[in-house]
Amino acid sequence: MIRSILCVCQANISRSAMMEGWLKKLTDGRDLRIESAGTFIDVPVDYLNKGPNPKAVACMKEVDIDISGHRNRPLSAVRLEEFDLIICLTPALAHQVLSLNPRGAVMIANATNGGIPDIHEKGADAYTECSQIMQRVSREIILKYLF
């Protein structure tokens, strides 16, 4: 049974924070631990301990999900063995996570379409589209792993 989920993207300031928000909203009231982190590969050092991208915050606010208090963190600060399911937002991220030999299952969100698109430095429409994909993917994950 899945009791803990980790969402992983690159810098943990947009996509993984948004996915964490969707999963928390859609599983509200369940005894489930949901967190997120970033690999920080090819990410500037000054990104560490940042809040979410303002475009991500605004986008999620439109669907009544507040991620404004989120603080990013590197995957190296996470105990992977504590998570039953690790959701990676791209195939490359999944490869990186698998190289760490996690205990839990590793999956790629929206795998049939190459993962969740990179929205960094794109407009508000890209964030909205990404959020819609994440809502659909989150529902699929919940049906597959939690029911």
Side-chain angles (χ1 to χ4, degrees):
M1 174 150 207
I2 302 293
R3 295 202 184 278
S4 56
I5 298 173
L6 179 67
C7 305
V8 178
C9 73
Q10 193 167 353
N12 191 217
I13 60 170
S14 294
R15 294 177 296 169
S16 56
M18 293 168 68
M19 179 69 92
E20 177 184 353
W22 270 115
L23 287 166
K24 285 181 174 177
K25 179 177 181 162
L26 295 173
T27 60
D28 187 35
R30 295 191 71 130
D31 183 23
L32 188 62
R33 175 181 169 199
I34 302 170
E35 299 180 17
S36 62
T39 62
F40 279 76
I41 293 176
D42 298 326
V43 174
V45 175
D46 64 343
Y47 265 55
L48 190 59
N49 200 31
K50 296 275 187 187
N53 183 307
K55 292 177 192 172
V57 173
C59 173
M60 297 304 283
K61 187 175 183 179
E62 291 177 12
V63 291
D64 295 320
I65 299 173
D66 182 8
I67 63 168
S68 63
H70 174 79
R71 301 304 286 177
N72 72 348
R73 66 182 175 155
L75 193 58
S76 60
V78 175
R79 294 180 55 148
L80 286 180
E81 68 273 8
E82 295 179 359
F83 292 93
D84 301 319
L85 178 62
I86 301 170
I87 303 168
C88 298
L89 301 187
T90 69
L93 293 166
H95 180 73
Q96 292 166 5
V97 168
L98 285 168
S99 73
L100 301 173
N101 298 313
R103 177 188 60 81
V106 176
M107 69 166 291
I108 301 166
N110 198 34
T112 57
N113 295 306
I116 302 292
D118 186 1
I119 52 177
H120 186 65
E121 297 185 9
K122 293 190 177 173
D125 289 346
Y127 282 79
T128 300
E129 181 181 332
C130 186
S131 176
Q132 291 168 348
I133 293 169
M134 288 182 187
Q135 179 185 28
R136 176 185 52 79
V137 169
S138 294
R139 290 182 191 280
E140 292 170 359
I141 290 167
I142 290 165
L143 288 174
K144 181 174 182 175
Y145 292 100
L146 302 178
F147 291 105

